[in-house]
């Protein structure tokens, strides 16, 4: 009933009050498409259509995107710079008003007119969305009237048409609506009579300050509860110390206001609460040892006002590590600790942050080891990708119903059944973090990453008690959602918490012909409570052209969006069916689309493997997907690591997924200033991208690989001593040390400055901190580096060229 990837939900487990449906705005009673169709069967979109040039208006774009590429002959297909999203073929005005591809992307930037045309192309239709990402500019609108379509409840946006000053036509359902009097005044220009110049009609991303109509209760305060494993395993690994220090340093940077509340629960074989009443001289620990019947020992002062009890919170964080430093407790009653957290947080809602270092061994939700280490390299099926119990999912649904999001930090070198534990976050709109070998002595690099991630986590923006709905042009329908949430009423996503690092994906179909419109639009609306207690609605609207020719569908294919949507679909398939089925489906996606192109559009009789330029990287990206931890076979992969990689695919934004799947590789020792960017008095070199193959590496070179969360700096054995000296401050290759740091040393050399500027520029495009590994070519660390060279053959996977031959063979069957 409900799920992270299913669009339908049933039953009484439904956690969000029904009134949320009408609150964000389902249809007005009795005014849905029936009235619309009788009054206005096919509205004329002339104003917008006139602004739209057909593809023939820009033949050079069409020709380039459709240029036939023989993949077996053309080996250097990567662009010089990281791939940008394809630009929809719209008029200049519509392009300017359109939503940023960093927020909203469609797999096809030319929407097929019919499902039959989509089926012919054999490409998936879907959206990738990053709705709460950090923005430098966001128009915020305070108005007594939030203007929406009376029929489908779409928010007014740049793609509606004004029939005159008093009437506007909805771009999704085509209903004609009245312009409210208040909307006649433009607060930006302070003038009357120009509704089309209002900020919500000029910007495709806006945020409304919501009125009480959008509230079921007064907005909740920011409430943070930390649930901490304090077993021997946890204390010995060193995470608790880092957690306490990091939280102490960031206590005043957590989002919130004067109402912000915090609380702490620790657990091993028993559950410990902490009374932090401001009148006490020191925190008071309350122990509940009956884990089969969890109760809250006192309803006062376990969740306290941070401002009032800050001194006691600091005392607790300063002493927590030493309190458990001698513990011999090896058990973990995680389930009862979560039950306690649920009871404590239910009256308010908020965020629960769980830190766990082992398999739960006691009480509700206890788990057994299901991993057979001998099966890690299996080329057959992979077992136990789904949960062993529904305890964690049920708990998450209960939490979601009370507006509680649960985030999980798993810090464990042993199997901990993440497939079961992850459900606590998947269904409560939480985040999952995993550190498989964190140890303060044996693996300081991972401890460093944990500390950086935790700092970002504690201070990043957060929205509470949120719901999100995605609407699209009449004729289009959404049928499957991907991400961490609970699906409510077929199209309403319940998000107890929303954070700026979460991505979502949806699959769509075309239920009715779009022949009567030249534009299709998509709108997401996210209703949430800010950490300052304000109810807000963030709205994004995307506009794309509708096409009737198969060639145009291919010309508008967004290969990265297609890859990310297919990755989500493959993860679902591997859990619902099998990993081998999922892998076959990915290969078939390439075979089917290239076959369809060959048989219908290309008209090229030559032998070889032909793809349109727009899809020329598709086979490479799919091969890279097949080599990821989530989907690979035949390479030793721990079950928890595989499951975590699957969770990442399902919940991350497109840019992060793509850097993981196909990292960017650059050569550094030959960098020049040609094409460099000049930013803030810095020269940022722009070295060309290299194919991910060892053929591109040389013993004389130095190379940077950007994998998103990790940078690898690979220094060849015969690399120029001057480069090593200028960049790393080491005399030569032999004395280069292996470094796990987050930055290059700050040396006053032009080369060091340029490289640091490049790293800062790459880092600037993401919200989290990337770890830097300096790797010598004779070091064991190069294993990780070489695993990312996806074009090369490995013991269990084809090289890129072999994969192309395999695709060609499948196409000729």
């Amino acid at each position: 009933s409900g799920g992270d990837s299913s669009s339908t939900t049933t039953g009484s487990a439904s956690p969000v009050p029904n009134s949320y449906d009408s609150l964000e705005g389902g249809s007005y009673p009795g005014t849905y498409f029936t009235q619309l169709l009788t009054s206005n069967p096919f509205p004329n979109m002339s104003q917008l259509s006139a602004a739209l040039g057909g593809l023939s208006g820009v033949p050079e774009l069409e020709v380039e995107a459709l240029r036939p590429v023989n993949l077996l002959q053309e080996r250097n297909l990567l662009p010089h710079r990281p791939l940008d999203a394809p630009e929809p073929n719209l008029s200049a005005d519509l392009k300017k008003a359109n939503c940023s591809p960093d927020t909203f992307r469609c797999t096809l930037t030319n929407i097929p007119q019919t499902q039959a045309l989509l089926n012919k192309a054999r490409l998936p239709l879907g959206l990738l969305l990053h709705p709460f990402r950090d923005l430098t500019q966001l128009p915020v609108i305070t108005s007594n009237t939030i203007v929406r379509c009376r029929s489908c409840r779409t928010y007014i946006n740049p793609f509606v048409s004004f029939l005159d000053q008093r009437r506007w036509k909805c771009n999704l359902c085509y209903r004609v609506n009245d312009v409210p009097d208040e909307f006649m005044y433009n607060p930006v220009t302070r003038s009357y009579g120009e509704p089309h110049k209002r900020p919500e009609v000029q910007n495709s991303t806006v945020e409304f300050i919501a009125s009480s109509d959008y509230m079921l209760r007064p907005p909740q305060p920011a409430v943070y509860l930390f649930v901490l494993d304090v077993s021997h395993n946890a204390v010995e690994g060193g995470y608790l110390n880092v957690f306490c220090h990091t939280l102490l340093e960031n206590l005043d940077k957590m989002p919130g206001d004067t109402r912000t509340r915090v609380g702490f629960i620790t657990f091993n074989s028993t559950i410990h609460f902490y009374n932090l009443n401001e009148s006490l001289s020191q925190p008071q620990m309350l122990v509940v040892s009956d884990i089969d019947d969890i109760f809250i020992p006192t309803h006062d002062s376990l969740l306290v006002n941070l401002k009032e009890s800050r001194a006691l919170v600091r005392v607790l964080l300063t002493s927590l590590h030493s309190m458990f430093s001698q513990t011999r407790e090896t058990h973990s009653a995680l389930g009862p600790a979560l039950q306690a957290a649920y009871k404590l947080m239910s009256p308010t809602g908020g965020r629960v942050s769980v830190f766990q270092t082992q398999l739960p061994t006691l009480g509700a939700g206890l788990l057994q080891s299901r991993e057979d280490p001998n099966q890690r390299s299996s080329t057959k099926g992979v077992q136990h990708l789904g949960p062993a119990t529904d305890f964690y999912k049920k708990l998450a649904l209960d939490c979601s119903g009370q507006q509680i999001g649960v985030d999980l930090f798993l810090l464990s070198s042993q199997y901990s059944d993440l497939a079961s534990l992850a459900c606590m976050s998947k269904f409560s709109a939480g985040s999952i973090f995993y550190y498989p070998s964190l140890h303060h002595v044996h693996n300081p690099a991972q401890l460093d990453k944990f500390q950086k991630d935790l700092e970002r986590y504690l201070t990043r923006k957060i929205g509470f008690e949120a719901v999100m709905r995605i609407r699209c042009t009449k004729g289009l329908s959404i049928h499957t959602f991907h991400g961490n949430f609970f699906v409510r009423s077929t199209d309403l996503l319940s998000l107890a918490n929303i954070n700026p690092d979460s991505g979502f994906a949806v699959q769509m179909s075309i239920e009715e012909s779009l022949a009567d419109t030249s534009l299709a639009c998509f709108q997401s609306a996210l209703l949430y409570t800010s950490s300052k207690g304000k109810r807000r609605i963030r709205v994004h609207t995307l506009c794309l052209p509708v096409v009737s020719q198969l060639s145009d569908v291919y010309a508008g294919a967004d290969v990265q969006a297609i890859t990310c949507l297919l990755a989500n679909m493959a993860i679902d398939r591997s859990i619902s069916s099998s990993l081998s089925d999922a892998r076959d489906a990915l290969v078939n996606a390439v075979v089917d689309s290239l076959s369809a192109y060959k048989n219908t559009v290309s008209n090229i009789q030559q032998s070889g493997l032909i793809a349109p330029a727009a899809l020329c990287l598709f086979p490479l990206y799919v091969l890279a997907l097949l080599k990821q931890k989530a989907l690979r076979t035949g390479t030793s992969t721990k079950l928890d690591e595989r499951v975590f990689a699957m969770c990442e695919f399902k919940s991350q934004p497109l840019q992060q997924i793509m850097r993981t799947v196909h990292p960017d590789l650059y050569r550094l020792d030959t960098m020049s200033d040609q094409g460099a960017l000049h930013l803030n008095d810095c020269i940022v070199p722009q070295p060309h991208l290299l194919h991910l193959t060892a053929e591109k590496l040389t013993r004389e070179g130095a190379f940077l690989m950007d994998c998103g969360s990790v940078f690898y700096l690979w220094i060849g054995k015969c690399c120029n001593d001057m480069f090593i000296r200028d960049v790393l401050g080491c005399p030569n290759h032999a004395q280069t040390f292996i470094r796990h740091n987050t930055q290059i040393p700050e040396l006053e050399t032009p080369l060091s400055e340029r490289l640091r500027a490049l790293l800062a520029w790459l880092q600037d495009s993401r919200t989290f901190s990337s770890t830097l590994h300096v790797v010598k070519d004779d070091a064991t660390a190069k294993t990780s580096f070489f695993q990312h060279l996806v074009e090369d053959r490995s013991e269990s996977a084809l090289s890129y060229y072999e994969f192309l031959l395999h695709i060609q063979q499948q196409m000729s069957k």
Side-chain angles (χ1 to χ4, degrees):
S1 63
D4 59 326
S5 58
S6 126
S7 65
T8 53
T9 47
T10 55
S12 57
S14 176
V16 175
N18 286 330
S19 39
Y20 256 122
D21 225 3
S22 54
L23 186 142
E24 196 282 322
S27 55
Y28 274 8
T31 60
Y32 205 45
F33 291 131
T34 46
Q35 285 186 356
L36 168 75
L37 289 173
T38 49
S39 64
N40 192 2
F42 294 111
N44 173 2
M45 297 283 281
S46 58
Q47 277 177 287
L48 288 182
S49 300
L52 172 77
L55 268 179
S56 54
V58 275
E60 68 284 355
L61 281 179
E62 180 187 17
V63 168
E64 174 47 36
L66 284 172
R67 178 176 61 83
V69 177
N70 187 336
L71 300 177
L72 290 167
Q73 286 177 359
E74 289 197 39
R75 300 309 301 276
N76 293 312
L77 294 172
L78 282 184
H80 288 331
R81 304 272 180 272
L83 207 57
D84 287 325
E87 217 174 35
N89 179 34
L90 298 167
S91 71
D93 287 349
L94 291 182
K95 267 185 195 169
K96 188 179 171 189
N98 218 354
C99 194
S100 162
D102 292 336
T103 300
F104 221 152
R105 253 165 107 160
C106 186
T107 54
L108 303 175
T109 57
N110 293 325
I111 302 296
Q113 214 171 66
T114 62
Q115 183 67 35
L117 184 60
L118 175 63
N119 293 345
K120 271 188 194 169
R122 305 304 294 266
L123 292 169
L125 178 60
L127 301 168
L128 284 105
L129 186 59
H130 191 180
F132 201 56
R133 75 185 183 94
D134 290 323
L135 296 169
T136 48
Q137 279 187 308
L138 176 65
V140 176
I141 294 160
T142 308
S143 172
N144 294 329
T145 310
I146 295 176
V147 180
R148 302 175 66 181
C149 174
R150 289 278 303 168
S151 177
C152 71
R153 308 299 290 136
T154 291
Y155 294 80
I156 199 165
N157 62 78
F159 312 108
V160 305
S161 42
F162 285 89
L163 305 183
D164 51 46
Q165 279 201 341
R166 288 289 173 183
R167 294 179 305 153
W168 64 278
K169 184 179 284 184
C170 175
N171 51 319
L172 267 62
C173 75
Y174 315 129
R175 178 187 168 117
V176 176
N177 295 272
D178 293 334
V179 175
D181 287 343
E182 189 191 347
F183 206 74
M184 297 298 287
Y185 176 69
N186 184 349
V188 179
T189 59
R190 297 185 178 177
S191 58
Y192 282 90
E194 296 180 319
H196 60 285
K197 290 188 179 174
R198 292 258 315 190
E200 52 269 68
V201 187
Q202 293 289 314
N203 298 282
S204 58
T205 289
V206 293
E207 188 151 281
F208 296 98
I209 305 292
S211 64
S212 56
D213 299 348
Y214 291 84
M215 301 174 198
L216 290 179
R217 60 177 186 176
Q220 67 167 77
V223 184
Y224 303 115
L225 178 64
F226 298 96
V227 179
L228 306 163
D229 179 350
V230 290
S231 63
H232 174 71
N233 206 30
V235 177
E236 201 273 330
Y239 101 84
L240 191 59
N241 212 5
V242 172
F243 167 80
C244 292
H245 277 127
T246 308
L247 182 52
L248 269 171
E249 283 175 14
N250 293 283
L251 215 45
D252 297 332
K253 298 178 193 166
M254 290 198 300
D257 55 16
T258 53
R259 302 182 305 154
T260 301
R261 296 164 74 183
V262 295
F264 299 85
I265 291 174
T266 57
F267 67 96
N268 37 46
S269 62
T270 56
I271 313 300
H272 326 123
F273 298 85
Y274 296 87
N275 183 343
L276 297 167
N277 190 306
E278 61 190 290
S279 63
L280 295 171
S281 59
Q282 61 181 46
Q284 179 186 32
M285 183 200 271
L286 305 167
V287 179
V288 174
S289 51
D290 184 358
I291 58 172
D292 295 323
D293 185 18
I294 281 294
F295 64 94
I296 303 297
T298 171
H299 284 280
D300 294 329
S301 307
L302 297 182
L303 280 173
V304 293
N305 182 293
L306 177 57
K307 194 176 177 196
E308 292 165 3
S309 295
R310 178 181 274 99
L312 275 190
V313 170
R314 297 188 78 88
V315 170
L316 178 65
L317 289 171
T318 307
S319 56
L320 204 53
H321 184 261
S322 57
M323 283 163 61
F324 294 100
S325 61
Q326 302 305 312
T327 185
R328 287 283 163 265
E329 281 274 13
T330 56
H331 280 295
S332 169
L334 172 65
L338 288 170
Q339 290 172 327
Y342 169 70
K343 289 186 175 182
L344 193 54
M345 294 286 275
S346 284
T348 55
R351 184 180 75 192
V352 176
S353 308
V354 179
F355 296 79
Q356 172 72 3
T357 68
Q358 60 177 314
L359 203 63
T361 54
L362 290 178
L366 72 86
L367 297 166
Q368 310 290 332
S369 179
R370 298 190 290 161
E371 184 180 39
D372 178 357
N374 297 323
Q375 294 298 306
R376 284 179 186 163
S377 301
S378 169
T379 51
K380 297 179 183 137
V382 174
Q383 301 298 308
H384 310 306
L385 293 172
T389 167
D390 63 359
F391 171 83
Y392 295 97
K393 178 177 178 179
K394 281 182 171 171
L395 185 108
L397 295 181
D398 289 341
C399 286
S400 181
Q402 299 303 321
Q403 307 299 345
I404 303 164
V406 185
D407 295 329
L408 171 64
F409 287 78
L410 181 61
L411 316 105
S412 172
S413 54
Q414 303 300 313
Y415 172 71
S416 301
D417 197 355
L418 185 57
S420 298
L421 298 182
C423 293
M424 71 173 87
S425 301
K426 279 184 183 177
F427 298 99
S428 69
S431 304
I432 300 163
F433 300 84
Y434 179 46
Y435 306 89
S437 52
L438 180 141
H439 195 279
H440 66 108
V441 176
H442 307 309
N443 196 337
Q446 203 149 83
L447 202 67
D448 187 50
K449 178 168 170 37
F450 167 61
Q451 190 263 326
K452 293 277 190 300
D453 289 350
L454 184 59
E455 194 170 327
R456 160 74 184 166
Y457 170 79
L458 292 170
T459 57
R460 71 187 180 185
K461 194 170 72 235
I462 186 171
F464 297 101
E465 47 187 351
V467 287
M468 182 167 75
R469 183 174 259 124
I470 302 171
R471 297 176 170 87
C472 42
T473 290
K474 178 182 169 294
L476 293 166
S477 77
I478 293 167
H479 61 79
T480 307
F481 296 88
H482 301 275
N484 290 354
F485 47 73
F486 178 77
V487 184
R488 160 94 188 119
S489 73
T490 70
D491 69 341
L492 190 73
L493 305 187
S494 167
L495 304 164
N497 295 173
I498 180 74
N499 73 74
D501 303 333
S502 287
F504 302 87
V506 299
Q507 290 166 244
M508 292 188 297
S509 54
I510 304 165
E511 294 197 335
E512 298 171 37
S513 169
L514 303 173
D516 292 286
T517 178
S518 56
L519 297 172
C521 290
F522 311 88
Q523 186 178 81
S524 75
L526 175 72
L527 171 65
Y528 72 97
T529 299
S530 76
S531 57
K532 300 269 194 276
K534 295 277 187 289
R535 207 74 176 125
R536 291 176 166 237
I537 309 159
R538 185 168 299 188
V539 178
H540 304 288
T541 312
L542 173 69
C543 175
L544 296 172
V546 174
V547 297
S548 57
Q549 299 298 313
L550 191 57
S551 57
D552 293 344
V553 178
Y554 285 116
D558 182 337
V559 68
Q560 292 193 334
I562 289 169
T563 303
C564 291
L565 185 64
L566 286 175
N568 276 285
M569 293 161 68
I571 301 304
D572 281 1
R573 185 78 167 264
S574 59
I575 295 169
S576 64
S577 180
S578 70
L579 189 61
S580 59
D581 266 12
R583 290 171 58 84
D584 289 347
L586 284 171
V587 175
N588 290 338
V590 178
V591 171
D592 291 347
S593 57
L594 295 191
S595 297
Y597 169 76
K598 180 184 176 185
N599 297 333
T600 56
V601 177
S602 77
N603 297 324
I604 289 177
Q605 302 308 313
Q606 74 190 73
S607 62
L609 184 59
I610 310 298
L615 287 176
C616 69
L617 294 173
F618 191 26
L620 176 60
Y621 286 160
V622 166
L623 175 65
L625 264 183
L626 294 171
K627 293 186 176 187
Q628 296 301 304
K629 279 182 184 172
L631 294 163
R632 70 189 184 191
T633 57
T635 301
S636 184
T637 309
K638 290 183 177 178
L639 190 52
D640 280 346
E641 292 192 22
R642 185 186 294 279
V643 169
F644 177 64
M646 290 178 158
C647 293
E648 295 271 83
F649 275 128
K650 293 278 289 180
S651 62
Q652 289 203 318
L654 177 141
Q655 286 88 345
Q656 178 58 15
I657 292 175
M658 283 312 303
R659 276 199 202 95
T660 305
V661 171
H662 191 276
D664 294 332
L665 180 65
Y666 307 95
R667 182 162 183 175
L668 300 181
D669 59 304
T670 55
M671 280 191 309
S672 73
D673 288 349
Q674 190 179 348
L677 301 176
H678 293 261
L679 301 172
N680 306 329
D681 299 331
C682 271
I683 296 173
V684 183
Q686 298 288 291
H688 287 185
L689 284 178
L690 300 176
H691 278 265
L692 294 172
T693 166
E695 283 177 22
K696 298 294 180 185
L697 304 178
T698 68
R699 299 176 67 170
E700 296 76 31
F703 298 84
L704 180 73
M705 185 186 282
D706 178 3
C707 305
S709 58
V710 181
F711 287 118
Y712 290 102
L713 178 55
W714 189 80
I715 310 287
K717 205 171 257 178
C718 305
C719 184
N720 186 311
D721 286 351
M722 197 166 90
F723 176 88
I724 294 172
R725 200 166 49 245
D726 284 359
V727 169
L728 295 176
C730 305
N732 53 44
H733 182 275
Q735 294 181 52
T736 307
F737 53 94
I738 306 304
R739 183 187 202 92
H740 302 294
N741 210 323
T742 45
Q743 55 196 31
I744 295 286
E746 293 195 18
L747 305 175
E748 290 184 11
T749 65
L751 201 51
S752 171
E753 285 169 9
R754 291 210 182 356
L755 183 50
R756 280 184 284 119
L758 173 62
L759 283 167
W761 180 73
L762 293 171
Q763 181 78 53
D764 201 39
S765 64
R766 63 204 73 171
T767 52
F768 48 85
S769 174
S770 302
T771 310
L772 177 75
H773 294 265
V774 177
V775 183
K776 294 202 293 187
D777 66 356
D778 57 353
T780 50
K782 75 177 185 182
T783 312
S784 310
F785 179 82
F786 276 99
Q787 274 185 345
H788 291 293
L789 298 177
V790 294
E791 294 193 29
D792 293 339
R793 195 166 202 276
S794 65
E795 73 274 16
S796 58
L798 301 175
S799 71
Y800 175 55
Y801 191 74
E802 290 168 331
F803 183 65
L804 292 178
L805 293 175
H806 175 66
I807 295 291
Q808 187 182 35
Q809 185 187 356
Q810 295 295 306
M811 284 172 64
S812 60
K813 278 185 178 175

